Structure formats: structure tokens, C-alpha cells
Amino acid sequence: MTTTQPFLFGADNATTRGILLLNLGSPNSPDVADVRNYLLTFLMDRRIIGLSYPVRHLLVHRIIVPRRAPKSAANYRTIWDDTTKTFPLIAHSRSIAEQLSALRQAPVAVGMRYGHPSTAEALQALTALPQIEEIVIVPLYPHYARSSYETAVAFVLEEMRRLKLRPVRLRLQEPFYHDKAYRSALAESIRPYLSQPFDRLIVSMHGIPLSHIPKACRGENGHTSYCRERRPWHERHGEEDCYRLQCEETRHFLAQDLGLPQEKVELAYQSRLGLHPWLQPYMSKRIRQLPHEGIERVLVVCPGFVCDCLETIQEIDAEYRHDFLSSGGKSFTYIPCLNSHPAFVSALSSLLDQTNATPSTLLSAENQRKYKY
């Protein structure tokens, strides 16, 4: 099944520069068969599960997906919009593309790393426009991680080769968690919730295996300022892409931008898969511990996600809400993602101005090697 909904906006604009927005994706529907296909594609990505192909294939096809697909399908059903026949992540991604196209008067296509509208469909649509000489790749991920930003970019380059599309210049938008316009949009989306009494603002980031960050950054797992306090080391060694560093800085920036004491803003990591070590503290454990420490009223925000999805709506706002309240908590407020808010689209447009004006954002043959599929 492929989508019949639009994924290219502003095709009539005469500009020679097109924009490719990338996001994770969602199943085609909450039916078990569609969820199973989505999980197979997602989990077979070597940047998600970094085992050898034979082991990964056995684990994913024979163990993980047969067990997870029915339960995941039931969870996806809870966030499915039966009127529009889509999921929030897909709807918001399209809305971002439509608004950005209108704001910049440029062609904007949206493609998903897994599912539809696909990366291939988006690339084919943009390269079919005769006026396009350059495509700006914009992963909708504020932070750099092998399993999100990197795999999305690598897949674009692979699809360009596989489809034998006509050559165009490629330019890449860097992770933008530290950008002032983005930080402002994020802080202002949170600020209205601070008027209610709360004990702690929890910054819940998607977890990743420790093996996905530099070896020198794996120490004191659970210390949530470890890499931020070692930023000069990251700069000297060219490791500013460290996901742990970027998450820790995001927590610090939010406290600063909201005028909150640093100790009132806490970082945790969600969505752990498997039994091997991931970044800590684990949200699944921390949310149960907080009431026993006198933290009875929490606000929870997930700035690693641009658009609300299963991991925010179901995992955070349903599962962890239940865990917190059943452990003695009194108030749990989930703060939605930026989604397709105009302030975020404006910040994204400002980022594109910077990217287009920076020669180093052009993808050369040398820096494309980083994204070998």
C-alpha cells in the first residue's frame, strides 16, 4: 500500500533549490500486517540493531517482530486518525512541508525513512522538476544519532544511487538543537505549562545503546552532565556529534531559556529495546522513583521528537503517566511536541537561510563517506 496523499508542495515555484524534509515514518495503518512490515523494515536497519546481518535477520524475523507486532498494532490503533486515515507524525510532517513551501516559495517534499511517503518518492518528485539544481536535505531531528539523523541521510544517498536519479547538488542541514530560533520556539511552547504548580520538568530523550556513542563518552552512565562538562574534549577530538553531549546540553539550555533552576530540570532516556546497556537514567525506572523522592507533580517534554508519535503519545502520556500516578504521583502533564506549529516552521526557515549561506554544508564526495549505507 502506498499513500495517495500529497507529499510535494510548491512544485510550481521557479527556484532552483528544493527542500527534502526527512522523518522517521509510521506504518501505513494500525493493521497488524502493516505494523509487521513497518517493524521489519525499521529493525532490519543496521543502524538500529548493529548485529551482523544473519543474526539480525534471525532476531528480527523470528523473535522480535512476531512477538511485538500484535501489541504494537494495538498501540498504534490508539493514535490513528480514522477520519484522515493517518498518524500524527505523518500529518504534522506534511503540514510542516506545506507551510515551509509557502513561507520560502520553494518546492518542499517530505519523505520517511521507513514507510510512506517514502524517501524514494520524495527524491523522484524533486528531481523530476526541471528547475531543480540543488536539494537541501533537512532531517527533522534536532540531535545527531546513528539511529535517526545518520540513517536518514545515508538512505537518501543510497536511494539517489539506486534509482539512478539525475545528478543535483546536495546540501545538508546540521542538527539544530542549539540554534537560538529553535531553542526559543521550544521554550515558548513549554512556558504556558509552567504556570501550574510542578516539582520537576522531565526532559525525556529517546535512548540509544551506549555502543552508539564514542568510547570516551560511555563513563559514569547515569550522570546527566558528564559530556557537557567535557565539551572541550569533544571539540578537540571532533566528537561534537556525540548524542549524549547534545541531550545533556538540551536539558541545560531548557533550564536557561525557561529561567528555571538547573536542579528543577531532569534528563532521562526512554524507549529502551533489548537487555544491553543504553544511556541512563532510564525513564521507565525514574518515573516510578520520583514520587518516593517527594516529586509528586511533573511536567514531561520530549524535545528529541519534532512530531508527536507512538513514543510520546502512548509510551509517555499513557504508559508512564500510569506508572507515575500508580507509584504515588499526584500530577502528570505531558507537553506536546512542536509538531507543525508556525513558530517551529519559522525557525526551520531561519535555519535554512544559514545552511544555504554556508559553503561547508554542501555534501562533497569526501563527507558523503560518513553516510555510507
PDB file of all heavy atoms in Angstrom, residues 15 38 63 71 230 337:
ATOM      1  N   THR A  15      12.250  28.541  -8.221  1.00  0.00           N
ATOM      2  CA  THR A  15      13.565  28.475  -7.599  1.00  0.00           C
ATOM      3  C   THR A  15      14.306  27.194  -7.985  1.00  0.00           C
ATOM      4  O   THR A  15      13.685  26.150  -8.218  1.00  0.00           O
ATOM      5  CB  THR A  15      13.455  28.567  -6.066  1.00  0.00           C
ATOM      6  OG1 THR A  15      14.754  28.464  -5.481  1.00  0.00           O
ATOM      7  CG2 THR A  15      12.587  27.446  -5.511  1.00  0.00           C
ATOM      8  N   TYR A  38       6.266  -2.625   8.758  1.00  0.00           N
ATOM      9  CA  TYR A  38       6.991  -1.441   9.224  1.00  0.00           C
ATOM     10  C   TYR A  38       8.101  -1.832  10.194  1.00  0.00           C
ATOM     11  O   TYR A  38       9.244  -1.373  10.079  1.00  0.00           O
ATOM     12  CB  TYR A  38       6.005  -0.479   9.895  1.00  0.00           C
ATOM     13  CG  TYR A  38       6.656   0.716  10.539  1.00  0.00           C
ATOM     14  CD1 TYR A  38       7.083   1.796   9.776  1.00  0.00           C
ATOM     15  CD2 TYR A  38       6.862   0.763  11.921  1.00  0.00           C
ATOM     16  CE1 TYR A  38       7.689   2.902  10.371  1.00  0.00           C
ATOM     17  CE2 TYR A  38       7.464   1.854  12.514  1.00  0.00           C
ATOM     18  CZ  TYR A  38       7.879   2.916  11.743  1.00  0.00           C
ATOM     19  OH  TYR A  38       8.491   3.988  12.333  1.00  0.00           O
ATOM     20  N   ILE A  63      11.952 -13.583  16.220  1.00  0.00           N
ATOM     21  CA  ILE A  63      11.709 -13.370  17.650  1.00  0.00           C
ATOM     22  C   ILE A  63      11.017 -12.032  17.918  1.00  0.00           C
ATOM     23  O   ILE A  63       9.894 -12.003  18.438  1.00  0.00           O
ATOM     24  CB  ILE A  63      13.036 -13.449  18.448  1.00  0.00           C
ATOM     25  CG1 ILE A  63      13.668 -14.828  18.261  1.00  0.00           C
ATOM     26  CG2 ILE A  63      12.780 -13.162  19.932  1.00  0.00           C
ATOM     27  CD1 ILE A  63      15.041 -14.975  18.891  1.00  0.00           C
ATOM     28  N   LYS A  71       0.975  -6.445  19.610  1.00  0.00           N
ATOM     29  CA  LYS A  71       0.884  -5.451  20.683  1.00  0.00           C
ATOM     30  C   LYS A  71       1.109  -4.044  20.128  1.00  0.00           C
ATOM     31  O   LYS A  71       0.386  -3.107  20.493  1.00  0.00           O
ATOM     32  CB  LYS A  71       1.914  -5.753  21.770  1.00  0.00           C
ATOM     33  CG  LYS A  71       1.870  -4.771  22.932  1.00  0.00           C
ATOM     34  CD  LYS A  71       2.909  -5.113  23.987  1.00  0.00           C
ATOM     35  CE  LYS A  71       2.871  -4.088  25.125  1.00  0.00           C
ATOM     36  NZ  LYS A  71       3.892  -4.384  26.164  1.00  0.00           N
ATOM     37  N   ARG A 230      32.520  18.025  29.690  1.00  0.00           N
ATOM     38  CA  ARG A 230      33.726  17.683  28.937  1.00  0.00           C
ATOM     39  C   ARG A 230      33.640  18.197  27.495  1.00  0.00           C
ATOM     40  O   ARG A 230      34.275  17.659  26.603  1.00  0.00           O
ATOM     41  CB  ARG A 230      33.919  16.160  28.935  1.00  0.00           C
ATOM     42  CG  ARG A 230      34.146  15.572  30.323  1.00  0.00           C
ATOM     43  CD  ARG A 230      34.047  14.039  30.332  1.00  0.00           C
ATOM     44  NE  ARG A 230      34.931  13.408  29.381  1.00  0.00           N
ATOM     45  CZ  ARG A 230      34.526  12.822  28.250  1.00  0.00           C
ATOM     46  NH1 ARG A 230      33.242  12.786  27.934  1.00  0.00           N
ATOM     47  NH2 ARG A 230      35.390  12.262  27.434  1.00  0.00           N
ATOM     48  N   CYS A 337       4.860  17.911  21.486  1.00  0.00           N
ATOM     49  CA  CYS A 337       6.000  18.319  20.661  1.00  0.00           C
ATOM     50  C   CYS A 337       5.670  19.605  19.906  1.00  0.00           C
ATOM     51  O   CYS A 337       4.523  20.052  19.870  1.00  0.00           O
ATOM     52  CB  CYS A 337       6.340  17.214  19.664  1.00  0.00           C
ATOM     53  SG  CYS A 337       6.917  15.678  20.419  1.00  0.00           S
TER      54      CYS A 337
END
